[in-house]
Amino acid sequence: QVQLVESGGGLVQAGGSLRLSCAASGRAFSNYDMGWFRQAPGKEREFVAAITSSGGAIYYAGSVKGRFAISRDNAKNTVYLQMNNLQPEDTAVYYCAAVVRYGTRWRNALDAWGQGTLVTVSS
């Protein structure tokens, strides 16, 4: 079973930066595309970014493109999300997951989530 642990969230002023990490257990981490999702209070969980298993391709939601960068280190079983120029609308709990693409939508491939890490951006 996959275990995921997100970390790196916190409180930051608008315009600031944070780097999130997701540590994954399991020996087959490098076989999976990985993604980040976020969920703000009262809203549905939404896709943020994805990176293919080898790191050769990346995808972003339009709301974060140009500000966020996803990366991975397969040797460490870890995926990262560098978040720059954070805005109050980025406030959410951020989750990582193995992902699979269905048309234009990214879905959790294994139905495994970590506990999430809270990002709060003040104006």
Side-chain angles (χ1 to χ4, degrees):
Q1 197 68 250
V2 176
Q3 295 286 332
L4 301 165
V5 180
E6 299 94 339
S7 62
L11 176 64
V12 64
Q13 288 189 319
S17 298
L18 287 171
R19 192 188 196 202
L20 307 184
S21 297
C22 172
S25 67
R27 298 157 57 193
F29 174 80
S30 63
N31 291 345
Y32 296 99
D33 299 345
M34 296 293 295
W36 286 94
F37 299 79
R38 66 186 183 186
Q39 188 167 22
K43 299 182 69 176
E44 295 289 325
R45 194 167 298 186
E46 66 175 347
F47 169 77
V48 175
I51 184 167
T52 53
S53 59
S54 66
I58 56 175
Y59 306 86
Y60 297 103
S63 58
V64 307
K65 194 170 186 177
R67 299 188 297 122
F68 291 11
I70 189 171
S71 61
R72 66 191 295 161
D73 185 341
N74 286 345
K76 296 181 178 179
N77 285 359
T78 302
V79 62
Y80 305 95
L81 186 68
Q82 177 67 46
M83 305 185 295
N84 298 321
N85 192 24
L86 283 161
Q87 301 299 312
E89 55 264 36
D90 297 316
T91 295
V93 178
Y94 284 71
Y95 302 87
C96 69
V99 295
V100 63
R101 194 177 187 181
Y102 291 95
T104 60
R105 289 177 171 251
W106 291 89
R107 304 285 299 276
N108 189 324
L110 303 174
D111 196 27
W113 302 98
Q115 82 287 349
T117 186
L118 176 63
V119 172
T120 303
V121 185
S122 62
S123 60

